[in-house]
Amino acid sequence: MKPARPKRTRLRAAAKANVPGLADAQVKAIQERIGHHFKDRSLLVQAFTHPSAVAAADSVRLSNQRLEFLGDRVLNLLIAERLIERRKTESEGELAPRLNRFVKKGACAEAFRHFGLQEHIILSDGEVASGGRDRESTLGDACEALIGAIYQDGGLSAARKFVEAGWTHQFSSAPAETRDPKTLLQEWAQGQGLPLPKYNVIERSGPDHEPVYEIEVQVPPHGAAKAKGSSKRDAERNAAALLLDSLTGTP
């Protein structure tokens, strides 16, 4: 009979068993689709690990939240860089709504679907059952995290190649004139001699890793509108579009 292992050793083994992972076949498939082969495989695994798949105490260390934070900043830089290079006659006010269009959560989710990576996200059973694998916020977060992982593993040029490939369809289908609903609503209010629209947070719900914001926008005395989004920015844009539609018939 073998002697029992020390308690510390058993705890280490249990912790190791709970670390999320991807099978070799999954890693190979992901790398072939995105066109980047990771030197540090742990970055790829972390990018695909949803917070629901790990214990709360391990979320910072193992989930994709920190990489998502980094990837969001890298994406903003790369899209801004692209716009500066290709829209040489446009002002900051014209470039800003274009930037917002390409970096919002929905755009990231679309890019993630373009690569067909949804099946590889590591989720809890509960998240899978509730449709998490198709949820826009989940896909968008994973895409931002993957950008962050590629940046850390291969630098800015590797991240740039990923964004150029993932956003190709969105770049080509973008309308010549992309206007943000908040900008349009502000211009409408100013044209009517009214105060600027006011935005208020009505409610914040959902877990920390997947919040839902409800925002109300008001243009007294012409009315108000409420809308939800996975970020304050998206909720404000959605609310502005609804109010603009009710005021002018042009969302």
Side-chain angles (χ1 to χ4, degrees), residues 2-56:
K2 293 182 179 180
R5 290 183 296 174
K7 182 177 180 182
R8 182 177 299 176
T9 302
R10 295 199 305 272
L11 290 174
R12 284 202 199 106
K16 185 175 181 180
N18 291 328
V19 174
L22 292 168
D24 290 343
Q26 288 180 290
V27 172
K28 181 180 178 181
I30 293 169
Q31 293 185 144
E32 288 178 350
R33 291 178 189 178
I34 67 176
H36 178 77
H37 289 262
F38 278 81
K39 297 185 289 290
D40 184 352
R41 176 170 167 167
S42 67
L43 286 170
L44 177 60
V45 173
Q46 186 177 2
F48 278 80
T49 302
H50 188 267
S52 68
V54 296

Side-chain angles (χ1 to χ4, degrees), residues 187-216:
E187 291 176 352
W188 181 88
Q190 290 175 324
Q192 302 294 316
L194 300 170
L196 295 179
K198 294 182 179 180
Y199 295 87
N200 297 302
V201 178
I202 301 301
E203 183 183 17
R204 182 199 181 282
S205 58
D208 289 341
H209 67 268
E210 206 165 290
V212 176
Y213 292 90
E214 183 176 20
I215 299 287
E216 181 181 60

Side-chain angles (χ1 to χ4, degrees), residues 215-232:
I215 299 287
E216 181 181 60
V217 59
Q218 299 177 346
V219 181
H222 288 270
K226 297 178 183 178
K228 295 182 179 181
S230 58
S231 68
K232 288 183 180 179

Side-chain angles (χ1 to χ4, degrees), residues 75-92:
L75 177 62
N76 272 266
L77 171 61
L78 291 173
I79 296 297
E81 175 189 77
R82 190 181 196 278
L83 291 172
I84 286 291
E85 290 175 352
R86 304 194 181 198
R87 298 281 177 178
K88 297 184 183 297
T89 63
E90 293 188 356
S91 67
E92 178 188 2

Side-chain angles (χ1 to χ4, degrees), residues 63-115:
S63 82
N64 62 11
Q65 289 179 299
R66 283 170 59 85
L67 286 175
E68 174 200 342
F69 172 83
L70 174 62
D72 175 65
R73 275 69 185 173
V74 174
L75 177 62
N76 272 266
L77 171 61
L78 291 173
I79 296 297
E81 175 189 77
R82 190 181 196 278
L83 291 172
I84 286 291
E85 290 175 352
R86 304 194 181 198
R87 298 281 177 178
K88 297 184 183 297
T89 63
E90 293 188 356
S91 67
E92 178 188 2
E94 293 170 309
L95 293 172
R98 295 187 188 278
L99 175 69
N100 291 337
R101 180 184 188 277
F102 291 125
V103 302
K104 66 182 182 180
K105 199 70 71 177
C108 294
E110 185 177 338
F112 204 73
R113 293 190 188 98
H114 167 78
F115 288 109

